[in-house]
């Protein structure tokens, strides 16, 4: 049966760059939790589909910061310790709890952490390796995003936008031995300056929120577009994305699914937990025994989770999702081309927050094949190859964040960072222009290169977002000011001709992202 | 290395600049921040400039679409725009000791989008995941 239309599924994987040499921070757990609950299950899902000769055709946008963390030896060592601590906690819970229902859940977690441990060993701690293989075999398409996940429209200097995109592309080439075809705009944040910078870097396509253009009909929504410089644009369909994304209206809110918030980290005695979490604070352990039950049920009244029932639910939700896609395809009546639905989600939604998310996703892919559902999952570059004469659009300023613009990253709680970002970037550009044609000693080059790393890290969208949320506000502020201080010290050394080499060595070790960076990426160029 | 070009004084001077920047917050609000060079700060401190700045928002054709005032060293202000869907920039003026209005800073130009139907708040999920 020929397909009625196409479905693009893009998972955006990103975490802020975290690499603490000196001590452990609970913020490192973001990475460990995401590896165990989201990235390893994603890799296993693709492996399982490969074994059954099913091509997933999923698109994965992998941020350079996360890419660097997935290859980082320091984090690899800490990840192994984290996984072992959780396996020990699971053992202890087995002996502490007598309830058979909890034992059944603990077996699910034991399996999850053992699989993570096995995969970390199998790939020598480098989870980029399987992703690279999946891309080489044509099973997934990996794209990039700005170097440190900066909100590009909030960068005033064109040199900064160029540096963020150029560095991301160079980093991708180093990691995947080829040029990226597509680009994920962090938070889908767009302004009209951006496409030209993408084009200079030979990128072929990017994604936008569907509120970036004024679309009136379903036919217009389910189409593929170009912007004036010829770059392809895929509009994220907020309607079907919502079905998966929302805890309130979407699938993850179903009562059978695992409850995210009720974690034994908040139920057990601190002294008991401390041995495993290494923290005096109440933090999530990843072990959660309860199900959503209903959205109105108090956390304390949630019922025990039943994994088997959740699996059945994930399959029926996958069928429902596909049914809705088909009915939208049926309502499409443009005879020139088949409809296209573009779904984009944070990769960490699947597994970490929506525990059964990968099961749902794998079900979608398998059901299409098994039941001959007339939907074809396709990557953007595959779609571009078969698409005929897309229309041109002029998108406006937009994002997929709260309110549809930039309010989460620019408001009274976090606006103090903007002046500092502007000033540091201005100084970096000034120094890059001043020194770019000079025959510098290696020490000066290293100091300027590290300065460029620190400025890129200042640009990260994570700091204003975490400050805005309030959770981890202190950590975000501390990180922001540490990069600013590092930058100021380094450039003072350059200007005073008195570089603190020990400081430089320490920073090169800690903030070691973009090993081949050249400070000249911040210089002004005639073509931008 | 050209030692003249890289003298500390010369580099420091090049970094001591006045800037005035606007960022789009949403379809109806912009964020303006500014910093004056040491030379200008001295003028404010010596009262050669009045303490209140005049801030004008102009469209791409240089028509003033809004005007307000703000104390010179507050360094930032949110401005509500009278309309959406326009390109705009800001000029900052100070009154001199002679009573003349002197332009002392100009911002970048930004595009302000038109107002759209309010989107569903996806931020909830992100709030949850980072906790």
């Amino acid at each position: 049966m020929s397909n009625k239309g196409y479905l693009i599924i893009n998972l955006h994987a990103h975490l802020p760059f975290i690499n603490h040499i000196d001590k452990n921070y609970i913020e490192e757990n973001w990475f460990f939790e995401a590896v165990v609950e989201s990235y390893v299950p994603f890799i296993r899902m693709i492996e399982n589909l490969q074994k059954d000769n099913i091509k997933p055709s999923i698109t994965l946008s992998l941020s350079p910061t996360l890419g660097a963390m997935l290859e980082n030896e320091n984090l690899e060592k800490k990840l192994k310790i984290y996984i072992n601590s959780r396996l020990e906690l699971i053992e202890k819970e087995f002996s502490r709890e007598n309830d058979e229902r909890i034992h059944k859940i603990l077996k699910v977690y034991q399996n999850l952490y053992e699989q993570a441990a096995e995969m970390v060993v199998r790939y020598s701690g480098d989870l980029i390796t399987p992703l690279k293989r999946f891309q080489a075999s044509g099973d997934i398409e990996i794209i990039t995003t700005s170097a440190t996940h900066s909100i590009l429209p909030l960068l005033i200097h064109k040199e900064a936008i160029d540096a963020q995109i150029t560095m991301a592309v160079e980093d991708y080439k180093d990691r995947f031995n080829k040029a990226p075809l597509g680009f994920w705009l962090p938070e889908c944040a767009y302004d009209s300056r951006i496409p030209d910078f993408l084009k200079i870097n030979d990128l072929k396509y990017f994604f936008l929120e569907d509120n970036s253009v004024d679309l009136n009909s379903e036919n217009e929504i389910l189409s593929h577009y170009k912007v004036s410089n010829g770059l392809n644009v895929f509009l994220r369909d907020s309607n079907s994305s919502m079905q998966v994304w929302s805890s309130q209206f979407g699938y993850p809110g179903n009562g059978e699914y695992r409850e995210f918030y009720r974690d034994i980290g908040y139920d057990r005695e601190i002294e008991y937990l401390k041995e495993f979490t290494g923290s005096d604070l109440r933090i999530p352990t990843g072990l959660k025994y309860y199900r959503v039950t209903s959205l109105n049920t108090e956390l304390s009244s949630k019922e025990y989770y039943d994994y088997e029932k959740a699996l059945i639910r994930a399959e029926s939700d996958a069928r429902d999702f596909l049914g809705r896609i088909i009915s939208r395809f049926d309502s499409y009546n443009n005879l020139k081309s088949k409809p296209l639905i573009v779904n984009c989600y944070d990769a960490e939604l699947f597994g970490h927050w929506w525990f059964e998310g990968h099961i749902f996703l794998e079900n979608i892919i398998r059901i299409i094949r098994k039941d001959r559902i007339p939907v074809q999952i396709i990557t953007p570059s595959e779609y571009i190859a078969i698409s005929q004469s897309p229309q041109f659009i002029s998108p406006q300023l937009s994002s997929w964040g709260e309110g549809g613009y930039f309010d989460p990253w620019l408001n009274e709680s976090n606006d103090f960072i903007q002046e500092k970002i502007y000033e540091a970037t201005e100084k970096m550009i000034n120094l890059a222009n001043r020194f770019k044609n000079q025959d510098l000693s290696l020490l000066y080059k290293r100091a300027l290169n590290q300065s460029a790393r620190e400025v890129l890290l200042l640009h990260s969208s994570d700091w204003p977002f975490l400050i805005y949320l309030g959770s981890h506000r202190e950590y975000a502020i501390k990180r922001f000011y540490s990069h600013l201080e590092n930058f100021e010290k380094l450039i003072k050394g350059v200007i005073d001709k008195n570089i603190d080499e020990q400081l430089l060595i320490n920073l090169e070790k800690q903030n070691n992202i973009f090993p081949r960076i050249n400070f000249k990426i911040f210089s002004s160029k005639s073509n931008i | 290395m050209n030692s003249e070009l890289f003298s500390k004084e010369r580099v420091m001077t090049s970094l001591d600049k006045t800037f005035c920047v606007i960022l789009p917050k949403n379809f109806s609000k912009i964020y303006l921040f500014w910093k004056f060079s040491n030379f200008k700060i001295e003028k404010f401190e010596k009262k050669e400039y009045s303490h209140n700045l005049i801030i004008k928002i102009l469209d791409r054709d240089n028509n003033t679409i809004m005007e307000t005032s703000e104390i010179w060293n507050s360094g930032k202000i949110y401005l509500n725009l009278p309309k959406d869907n326009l390109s705009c920039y800001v000029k900052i003026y100070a009154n001199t000791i002679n009573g003349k209005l002197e332009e002392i800073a100009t911002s970048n130009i930004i595009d302000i989008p038109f107002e759209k139907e309010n989107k569903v708040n996806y931020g909830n999920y992100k709030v949850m995941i980072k906790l």
Side-chain angles (χ1 to χ4, degrees):
Chain A
M1 184 191 283
S2 74
N3 65 304
K4 288 186 175 180
Y6 298 96
L7 180 64
I8 286 176
I9 300 176
N10 180 65
L11 302 184
H12 175 54
H14 164 69
L15 286 177
F17 182 73
I18 295 180
N19 180 37
H20 295 290
I21 309 282
D22 53 344
K23 58 177 187 169
N24 296 332
Y25 283 78
I26 57 168
E27 285 77 8
E28 290 170 324
N29 284 5
W30 295 335
F31 175 69
F32 307 142
E33 288 166 9
V35 168
V36 173
E37 297 168 4
S38 292
Y39 309 144
V40 166
F42 174 79
I43 292 168
R44 282 193 62 81
M45 177 184 78
I46 305 293
E47 285 176 341
N48 290 340
L49 291 165
Q50 274 186 331
K51 276 181 204 152
D52 294 334
N53 290 318
I54 299 173
K55 189 177 170 227
S57 293
I58 286 180
T59 310
L60 178 73
S61 56
L62 181 73
S63 75
T65 52
L66 176 58
M69 290 159 77
L70 287 170
E71 293 172 332
N72 185 303
E73 286 180 12
N74 172 46
L75 284 170
E76 180 196 334
K77 282 179 200 151
K78 289 186 177 184
L79 173 64
K80 284 179 179 166
I81 295 168
Y82 174 87
I83 292 172
N84 285 336
S85 76
R86 293 305 182 265
L87 283 168
E88 284 168 18
L89 176 58
I90 289 166
E91 281 301 331
K92 196 126 182 180
E93 284 288 297
F94 266 122
S95 52
R96 177 179 172 140
E97 287 288 343
N98 295 318
D99 194 317
E100 186 51 34
R101 291 171 300 179
I102 293 186
H103 278 216
K104 273 176 75 181
I105 303 165
L106 281 167
K107 279 178 192 154
V108 174
Y109 288 122
Q110 195 170 40
N111 192 31
L112 180 77
Y113 284 89
E114 281 174 353
Q115 283 178 356
E118 181 273 328
M119 197 175 282
V120 170
V121 171
R122 179 152 49 103
Y123 291 113
S124 308
D126 179 1
L127 297 182
I128 293 296
T129 303
L131 298 177
K132 212 189 275 187
R133 283 189 198 153
F134 298 154
Q135 173 152 259
S137 60
D139 287 299
I140 65 170
E141 180 163 313
I142 303 173
I143 63 172
T144 192
T145 182
S146 70
T148 55
H149 211 260
S150 56
I151 302 287
L152 298 174
L154 296 182
L155 293 178
I156 294 305
H157 299 93
K158 60 187 192 309
E159 293 88 348
I161 298 175
D162 183 52
Q164 280 284 346
I165 296 173
T166 303
M167 193 67 251
V169 169
E170 291 305 313
D171 181 77
Y172 183 100
K173 287 177 186 167
D174 287 344
R175 187 159 290 126
F176 295 106
N177 308 323
K178 59 176 285 197
L181 297 169
F183 194 88
W184 175 259
L185 298 176
E187 312 295 353
C188 274
Y190 175 85
D191 79 24
S192 58
R193 298 173 300 164
I194 294 168
D196 286 343
F197 293 100
L198 298 176
K199 190 160 187 179
I200 289 168
N201 281 285
D202 284 332
L203 290 148
K204 307 295 178 215
Y205 67 87
F206 62 101
F207 295 89
L208 280 181
E209 184 67 0
D210 62 7
N211 69 344
S212 60
V213 278
D214 212 7
L215 301 175
N216 298 313
S217 69
E218 186 79 337
N219 279 2
E220 287 180 335
I221 292 167
L222 306 187
S223 296
H224 155 226
Y225 294 95
K226 285 192 176 206
V227 286
S228 59
N229 71 356
L231 242 68
N232 294 278
V233 185
F234 292 97
L235 298 179
R236 175 179 180 267
D237 175 53
S238 54
N239 183 322
S240 57
S241 295
M242 201 49 203
Q243 202 60 38
V244 173
W245 196 268
S246 166
S247 63
Q248 212 175 348
F249 313 105
Y251 303 124
N254 186 280
E256 300 292 356
Y257 290 133
R258 191 196 69 170
E259 169 62 52
F260 177 79
Y261 293 107
R262 182 87 186 266
D263 186 292
I264 68 163
Y266 303 103
D267 285 344
R268 298 280 186 258
E269 310 80 30
I270 280 277
E271 280 307 311
Y272 169 80
L273 293 167
K274 202 173 159 182
E275 183 187 342
F276 309 101
T277 61
S279 173
D280 291 326
L281 301 171
R282 285 212 169 275
I283 58 170
T285 63
L287 303 189
K288 303 160 202 284
Y289 298 155
Y290 298 88
R291 61 189 182 90
V292 171
T293 313
S294 86
L295 290 175
N296 301 324
T297 309
E298 294 285 326
L299 272 184
S300 58
S301 307
K302 299 279 182 183
E303 294 173 10
Y304 280 125
Y305 176 60
D306 184 330
Y307 186 58
E308 299 301 322
K309 283 187 180 168
L311 292 185
I312 294 167
R313 186 75 223 176
E315 185 182 338
S316 85
D317 282 345
R319 288 186 187 282
D320 179 81
F321 180 82
L322 286 169
R324 287 168 190 260
I325 296 281
I326 291 290
S327 72
R328 290 188 67 197
F329 283 171
D330 286 341
S331 69
Y332 179 87
N333 56 10
N334 181 347
L335 298 176
K336 285 186 192 160
S337 63
K338 288 182 180 178
L340 167 72
I341 290 183
V342 180
N343 281 183
C344 303
Y345 311 105
D346 278 347
E348 297 79 17
L349 169 77
F350 296 86
H352 176 57
W353 182 61
W354 183 16
F355 190 58
E356 304 79 2
H358 292 106
I359 315 285
F360 167 82
L361 201 53
E362 189 170 337
N363 267 306
I364 287 177
I365 298 164
R366 286 186 183 277
I367 290 167
I368 289 173
R369 171 81 166 257
K370 192 172 139 222
D371 295 358
R372 299 172 65 82
I373 305 283
V375 174
Q376 185 180 342
I377 301 180
I378 195 166
T379 67
S381 59
E382 288 168 344
Y383 186 84
I384 290 166
I386 58 166
S387 170
Q388 291 168 354
S389 350
Q391 287 178 50
F392 283 82
I393 50 170
S394 301
Q396 65 159 3
L397 216 67
S398 51
S399 86
W400 76 353
E402 186 184 343
Y405 303 96
F406 309 126
D407 299 75
W409 306 279
L410 178 62
N411 55 63
E412 285 80 355
S413 73
N414 56 23
D415 58 26
F416 64 91
I417 71 169
Q418 293 301 337
E419 179 194 323
K420 292 167 178 55
I421 288 175
Y422 180 88
E423 213 169 354
T425 306
E426 177 84 11
K427 285 178 185 172
M428 189 67 234
I429 294 165
N430 186 313
L431 293 174
N433 286 337
R434 194 170 283 269
F435 287 100
K436 68 180 173 186
N437 296 322
Q438 299 303 312
D439 186 18
L440 298 169
S441 72
L442 183 59
L443 185 62
Y444 274 78
K445 278 185 197 162
R446 282 172 50 207
L448 285 165
N449 290 344
Q450 190 59 35
S451 306
R453 285 189 192 99
E454 302 293 342
V455 173
L456 288 174
L457 287 165
L458 266 186
H459 291 168
S460 167
S461 68
D462 301 290
W463 317 138
F465 192 68
L466 289 170
I467 294 168
Y468 168 62
L469 290 185
S471 67
H472 304 277
R473 176 186 158 83
E474 286 71 28
Y475 179 78
I477 291 174
K478 182 186 155 112
R479 281 292 303 276
F480 180 83
Y481 277 112
S482 80
H483 295 302
L484 185 63
E485 193 182 318
N486 297 340
F487 170 74
E488 293 290 353
K489 282 180 184 167
L490 288 165
I491 64 159
K492 185 172 185 310
V494 170
I495 294 167
D496 291 347
K497 301 186 177 66
N498 182 22
I499 294 167
D500 181 343
E501 194 168 1
Q502 193 52 52
L503 170 78
L504 179 58
I505 290 168
N506 293 344
L507 293 178
E508 285 173 332
K509 211 188 259 182
Q510 175 140 317
N511 298 328
N512 59 355
I513 193 169
F514 312 126
R516 293 199 314 110
I517 196 171
N518 186 327
F519 71 88
K520 294 175 192 173
I521 56 164
F522 273 100
S523 63
S524 305
K525 298 163 192 88
S526 57
N527 63 341
I528 60 169
Chain B
M1 202 155 68
N2 179 339
S3 57
E4 165 61 16
L5 187 61
F6 301 107
S7 74
K8 185 177 173 181
E9 291 68 31
R10 196 156 168 180
V11 176
M12 293 306 284
T13 306
S14 74
L15 297 178
D16 176 31
K17 285 181 179 171
T18 289
F19 61 76
C20 160
V21 175
I22 52 170
L23 293 172
K25 179 172 161 61
N26 54 43
F27 68 93
S28 66
K29 199 176 258 193
I30 61 173
Y31 176 61
L32 164 68
F33 62 92
W34 64 88
K35 190 172 176 180
F36 298 121
S37 63
N38 290 335
F39 175 74
K40 286 198 173 81
I41 289 173
E42 207 173 302
K43 285 195 159 198
F44 280 106
E45 286 173 346
K46 287 181 177 171
K47 299 192 175 165
E48 289 174 27
Y49 286 151
S50 61
H51 274 203
N52 274 346
L53 304 171
I54 304 294
I55 296 169
K56 290 185 182 180
I57 303 179
L58 301 100
D59 66 16
R60 208 175 262 279
D61 299 323
N62 301 319
N63 301 309
T64 302
I65 55 172
M66 208 189 106
E67 189 174 318
T68 188
S69 71
E70 180 67 18
I71 190 153
W72 73 277
N73 56 2
S74 75
K76 65 177 191 178
I77 186 171
Y78 285 93
L79 299 167
N80 288 311
L81 297 166
K83 57 180 180 176
D84 61 358
N85 196 18
L86 79 155
S87 295
C88 66
Y89 68 103
V90 161
K91 282 188 175 184
I92 296 181
Y93 298 85
N95 272 306
T96 67
I97 203 160
N98 304 323
K100 281 173 67 179
L101 204 57
E102 186 179 313
E103 183 186 316
I104 55 171
T106 305
S107 80
N108 53 308
I109 298 181
I110 58 171
D111 293 328
I112 300 298
F114 55 81
E115 182 179 3
K116 293 163 290 192
E117 187 188 341
N118 198 19
K119 300 286 296 177
V120 177
N121 180 359
Y122 295 119
N124 280 339
Y125 152 66
K126 296 233 172 196
V127 171
M128 288 186 265
I129 203 163
K130 298 289 187 195
L131 284 174

